[in-house]
Amino acid sequence: MAGGTRELTVDLGERSYPIYIGTGLLAQAGSLFLKHGLPVKSPILLVTDSSVVDLYADKLEESLAAAGYKVTTAVVPSGETSKSLEMLDELIGAGLEAGLDRKSTVIALGGGVVGDLAGFVAASYMRGVRFVQIPTTIQAHDSSVGGKVAVNHRLAKNIIGAFHQPEFVLYDLDTILSLPMREVRAGLSELVKQGLLWDGEFVRWCDEHAEQLLALEPEALGYALYEGCNIKAIVVSKDERENDLRAILNLGHTIGHALEAVAGYGELLHGEAIAIGMVGAARLAAKFGYDERIAEETERLHVKFGLPVRIPSHLDTDEIMSAMMHDKKFAEGKMVFIVPTDIGRVEIRKDVPSSWVKEIVEGLREGTRQA
Amino acid sequence: MAGGTRELTVDLGERSYPIYIGTGLLAQAGSLFLKHGLPVKSPILLVTDSSVVDLYADKLEESLAAAGYKVTTAVVPSGETSKSLEMLDELIGAGLEAGLDRKSTVIALGGGVVGDLAGFVAASYMRGVRFVQIPTTIQAHDSSVGGKVAVNHRLAKNIIGAFHQPEFVLYDLDTILSLPMREVRAGLSELVKQGLLWDGEFVRWCDEHAEQLLALEPEALGYALYEGCNIKAIVVSKDERENDLRAILNLGHTIGHALEAVAGYGELLHGEAIAIGMVGAARLAAKFGYDERIAEETERLHVKFGLPVRIPSHLDTDEIMSAMMHDKKFAEGKMVFIVPTDIGRVEIRKDVPSSWVKEIVEGLREGTRQA
């Protein structure tokens, strides 16, 4: 392993796995596959997307071939629409044609969409084969910890899926360099989120290193990804199947998901939507009597990272409210929010009056002054 | 519980579950759901098929409604073609429209097809909700133990699936009475199989009680289903994820699956195909030097149950051989067979020469005398 590579273990008993974070790691994929005992005789299916394939697939394929692996590469269109049962069907077919057997491995090379899709292929092909995740975005650090894999249904996002843990995750920081700036910012929003819900010290570190992070300086980025993955890993290892604690990871997601749904997927990036959602959750905290500076600080931090903190004016409040009611986080019809009680600390509130939420949404609209 | 109801536990640690076998059980479904703590507030999706819905859905719905459950019934076309991703998509949509949440239950009311399909809906809806299986065929005793759920791909059967254990299985013997005789025989073939691979005494019992079983006499049928489920439960609890031992359950399936594939699904019932396959496996035993009477006894028993023991003459030997080579049980290209070493005992042979298999297939053709 190259000097400066960080290694982190996601602790899930016998399904524990490491995350490697560093530069130049794609070229070491083959030897890592061997080290992890992935069978050379069984063909590999490499799933990637149209925006990533030309940048990184060659290097990965070469490294695997040099280690003796036979790799078939399947390319899906870039974007959320690839997370479908139709694409699952195609990839299962590609796996069968490539002769994948029960000892085979499916690799995800790409962002969160490719990770979720290829992960569900791995979870369901022959009722489950091995899975290796190679994220190429900052955002994907989130989906690379915790084993949640899924495709979308016409009526709801991420509704068809499984829990399927990877053998390991390979984070090559070099792949992040090709990300458009808007996606860098959106990805950093999710890193900051991990701090806001668990570790105030990491939030302060992000605040102090915003410039280095936005410049994708490898040392800072490597550290931040390590910390972000680590926080998520701690939470997930305490609650793998999302019975309770794991829900705190949804900080900012209640409003965020509704904004994505109403705007139509694509207008707002996920990280942008939850940035606005986190500011909303922090304002809700004030309603529950917590320090108003939590909301001010949350907003200042997101502005520093160049993230939106207001709801685009053309989105309708009633539609946003209605989209929230359909969110699958409302078990048995009650409104649930993750509410910060301090910078780096949250609680799960299952008693949030929808009138408060509506007020917050109204107050977050572009051009509206804070109440 | 009615007198005479048998209860069996499938022992899988914290995923252990009971199987109830008896008469009049559909009417008790509601109280069993309450007893097992299935949440009344969360809607239930009942999946059944076009040949079962008119016979038993009313009784089940009434019993659940009386216990306070809200049930939405989804009916799929009867037959193997319903085990598809398209049908999964429809049923997930039905679940969303019915408002199923994470605490909801999916019920399978029907044979193996409905069990496999509804089970995969339960496994993948919101990454897994509760599942209750109510088999209405003898054949389905097999798929109701072990948690294997799946749909088919154009290129291969059962290739997209999961391991998802039910909360419990409800076997109402009254539902078996409506089965066509041919399906009764095919189902009994699978019960006899459980004996042939694990319990010689149960094979002798089946032999002695063939008449009562074919007449669907409840006491005999209840006992045989109990024993069949029990044998499968013992094997599965020793090897839930099919690493090794569980493969013995595939006795007769190597040739059997190939016959189904070549004949086109529907011409041979699954139980008929594996009946022929079991005779083939027993003849293979003789090639390995085991007693020839194993094959004679296996054949006599299947004839007694009115099952086919010869390959229909219009099926091509080369096509059968080729279909076997694609079977997913041949990891890394070697031919694997489950071979009986006595009545009630088998071994896994991974060294079977394909020339022997071809001889056996030739010798099993209709109108061919045994070599």
Side-chain angles (χ1 to χ4, degrees):
Chain A
M1 200 70 63
T5 296
R6 290 181 166 87
E7 182 178 339
L8 167 81
T9 300
V10 181
D11 184 9
L12 296 167
E14 60 178 27
R15 288 184 311 287
S16 295
Y17 62 91
I19 300 179
Y20 304 105
I21 304 171
T23 55
L25 294 184
L26 274 186
Q28 298 172 52
S31 55
L32 275 170
F33 269 62
L34 292 174
K35 179 185 156 196
H36 281 271
L38 301 182
V40 174
K41 284 190 197 170
S42 297
I44 288 175
L45 182 69
L46 167 58
V47 180
T48 187
D49 76 20
S50 50
S51 70
V52 168
V53 61
D54 292 338
L55 297 168
Y56 310 117
D58 279 358
K59 188 170 277 182
L60 178 59
E61 287 162 2
E62 276 163 28
S63 171
L64 291 167
Y69 291 95
K70 186 178 161 254
V71 182
T72 298
T73 300
V75 184
V76 303
S78 174
E80 187 75 23
T81 51
S82 282
K83 275 176 64 174
S84 67
L85 285 177
E86 291 70 29
M87 206 52 80
L88 175 74
D89 187 58
E90 276 194 33
L91 291 172
I92 297 278
L96 283 165
E97 276 160 10
L100 264 69
D101 60 40
R102 289 184 183 175
K103 295 173 181 171
S104 283
T105 303
V106 174
I107 304 175
L109 174 69
V113 165
V114 167
D116 281 0
L117 171 63
F120 193 45
V121 172
S124 59
Y125 187 86
M126 292 185 174
R127 299 191 182 85
V129 295
R130 292 171 176 88
F131 178 43
V132 168
Q133 211 157 351
I134 307 184
T136 61
T137 66
I138 301 172
Q139 176 70 58
H141 88 275
D142 191 51
S143 52
S144 69
V145 183
K148 280 188 174 186
V149 296
V151 297
N152 301 329
H153 185 274
R154 175 178 55 84
L155 299 175
K157 271 187 84 170
N158 291 326
I159 209 76
I160 311 170
F163 289 91
H164 193 66
Q165 307 296 343
E167 301 296 307
F168 61 90
V169 175
L170 193 68
Y171 231 122
D172 187 336
L173 298 172
D174 300 334
T175 65
I176 311 293
L177 296 174
S178 59
L179 269 190
M181 199 57 207
R182 188 176 162 198
E183 285 186 37
V184 168
R185 295 183 199 279
L188 292 172
S189 151
E190 197 97 26
L191 281 177
V192 169
K193 185 206 76 171
Q194 314 292 20
L196 285 172
L197 64 90
W198 195 261
D199 184 349
E201 203 176 311
F202 178 53
V203 176
R204 281 186 290 281
W205 184 93
C206 288
D207 193 4
E208 286 159 15
H209 295 78
E211 207 174 310
Q212 291 96 314
L213 288 172
L214 287 164
L216 299 176
E217 192 273 295
E219 182 51 32
L221 185 60
Y223 174 76
L225 284 172
Y226 177 90
E227 282 299 322
C229 289
N230 193 33
I231 291 167
K232 180 150 187 195
I234 290 167
V235 174
V236 166
S237 68
K238 287 172 191 278
D239 176 22
E240 188 181 354
R241 308 287 299 195
E242 189 159 355
N243 293 310
D244 200 359
L245 179 69
R246 189 167 171 162
I248 68 172
L249 297 166
N250 291 320
L251 174 64
H253 280 58
T254 311
I255 293 175
H257 274 169
L259 296 178
E260 285 183 275
V262 174
Y265 296 108
E267 180 184 330
L268 282 168
L269 296 177
H270 179 67
E272 295 171 341
I274 64 150
I276 303 167
M278 281 189 273
V279 175
R283 289 191 181 181
L284 211 43
K287 293 255 183 205
F288 277 107
Y290 294 108
D291 198 328
E292 288 188 2
R293 281 174 299 183
I294 303 169
E296 290 161 19
E297 188 64 9
T298 301
E299 184 163 329
R300 183 189 63 75
L301 203 63
H302 284 99
V303 169
K304 187 167 186 177
F305 279 98
L307 286 158
V309 292
R310 290 290 178 277
I311 297 172
S313 57
H314 65 285
L315 302 185
D316 183 73
T317 300
D318 288 339
E319 276 185 56
I320 295 168
M321 292 302 294
S322 153
M324 263 187 271
M325 301 300 186
H326 286 100
D327 193 287
K328 67 177 179 290
K329 276 179 284 300
F330 296 104
E332 298 173 10
K334 285 178 189 159
M335 283 196 93
V336 183
F337 263 82
I338 314 303
V339 175
T341 60
D342 198 350
I343 295 293
R345 206 172 286 257
V346 294
E347 64 183 13
I348 304 172
R349 301 293 310 216
K350 302 190 175 183
D351 57 348
V352 182
S354 59
S355 59
W356 287 10
V357 180
K358 193 166 178 177
E359 264 181 68
I360 299 281
V361 168
E362 283 291 346
L364 277 175
R365 304 185 68 80
E366 268 174 354
T368 312
R369 290 190 170 274
Q370 187 168 351
Chain B
M1 200 69 65
T5 297
R6 290 180 166 85
E7 183 178 338
L8 167 80
T9 300
V10 181
D11 183 11
L12 296 167
E14 60 179 27
R15 287 184 312 286
S16 295
Y17 63 90
I19 301 179
Y20 303 105
I21 304 171
T23 55
L25 294 183
L26 275 186
Q28 297 172 52
S31 55
L32 276 169
F33 269 62
L34 291 174
K35 179 185 157 195
H36 280 271
L38 301 182
V40 173
K41 284 191 198 167
S42 297
I44 289 175
L45 182 68
L46 166 59
V47 179
T48 187
D49 75 19
S50 52
S51 70
V52 169
V53 60
D54 293 338
L55 297 169
Y56 309 117
D58 279 358
K59 189 170 277 181
L60 179 58
E61 287 162 1
E62 276 163 28
S63 170
L64 291 167
Y69 290 97
K70 185 176 161 257
V71 182
T72 298
T73 300
V75 184
V76 304
S78 174
E80 187 75 23
T81 51
S82 282
K83 275 176 64 175
S84 67
L85 285 177
E86 291 71 30
M87 205 52 78
L88 175 75
D89 187 58
E90 277 194 33
L91 291 173
I92 297 279
L96 284 165
E97 277 160 11
L100 262 70
D101 59 41
R102 288 184 183 174
K103 295 174 182 170
S104 283
T105 304
V106 174
I107 304 175
L109 173 70
V113 165
V114 167
D116 282 0
L117 171 64
F120 193 45
V121 172
S124 58
Y125 186 87
M126 292 184 174
R127 299 189 184 87
V129 294
R130 293 173 176 87
F131 179 42
V132 168
Q133 210 158 353
I134 308 185
T136 61
T137 66
I138 300 173
Q139 177 70 57
H141 88 276
D142 191 51
S143 52
S144 69
V145 183
K148 281 189 174 183
V149 297
V151 298
N152 301 328
H153 185 274
R154 176 177 56 84
L155 299 175
K157 272 187 83 169
N158 291 326
I159 210 75
I160 312 170
F163 289 91
H164 193 66
Q165 307 297 342
E167 300 297 307
F168 62 89
V169 175
L170 193 68
Y171 231 123
D172 187 336
L173 298 173
D174 300 335
T175 65
I176 311 294
L177 296 174
S178 60
L179 270 190
M181 200 58 207
R182 188 175 163 200
E183 284 186 38
V184 168
R185 294 183 199 279
L188 291 172
S189 153
E190 197 97 27
L191 281 177
V192 168
K193 186 206 75 173
Q194 313 292 19
L196 285 172
L197 64 90
W198 195 260
D199 185 349
E201 202 176 313
F202 178 52
V203 176
R204 280 186 290 281
W205 185 92
C206 289
D207 193 3
E208 286 159 16
H209 295 77
E211 207 173 312
Q212 290 96 316
L213 288 171
L214 287 164
L216 299 176
E217 192 274 295
E219 181 51 33
L221 185 60
Y223 175 75
L225 284 171
Y226 177 90
E227 281 301 321
C229 289
N230 193 33
I231 291 167
K232 180 149 186 196
I234 291 166
V235 174
V236 166
S237 68
K238 287 172 190 279
D239 176 22
E240 188 182 353
R241 307 286 297 195
E242 189 158 355
N243 292 310
D244 200 359
L245 179 70
R246 189 166 171 162
I248 68 171
L249 296 168
N250 291 321
L251 173 64
H253 281 58
T254 311
I255 293 176
H257 274 168
L259 295 179
E260 285 183 276
V262 174
Y265 296 107
E267 181 185 328
L268 282 168
L269 296 177
H270 179 66
E272 294 171 341
I274 65 149
I276 303 167
M278 280 188 273
V279 175
R283 289 192 181 181
L284 211 43
K287 293 254 183 207
F288 278 107
Y290 295 109
D291 197 328
E292 289 188 2
R293 281 174 299 183
I294 302 169
E296 290 160 21
E297 188 64 9
T298 301
E299 184 163 330
R300 184 189 63 75
L301 203 62
H302 284 99
V303 170
K304 188 168 185 175
F305 279 97
L307 287 157
V309 292
R310 289 292 177 276
I311 296 172
S313 57
H314 66 284
L315 302 185
D316 184 72
T317 299
D318 288 340
E319 276 186 55
I320 295 168
M321 291 302 294
S322 152
M324 264 186 270
M325 301 300 186
H326 286 100
D327 193 287
K328 66 177 180 289
K329 276 178 287 297
F330 296 104
E332 297 173 13
K334 284 178 189 159
M335 283 195 95
V336 183
F337 264 83
I338 314 304
V339 175
T341 61
D342 198 348
I343 297 292
R345 207 172 286 259
V346 294
E347 63 182 17
I348 304 172
R349 301 293 309 218
K350 303 188 175 184
D351 57 348
V352 182
S354 60
S355 60
W356 288 9
V357 179
K358 193 166 178 180
E359 263 180 69
I360 299 282
V361 167
E362 284 290 347
L364 276 176
R365 304 185 69 79
E366 270 174 355
T368 312
R369 291 188 171 273
Q370 187 169 350

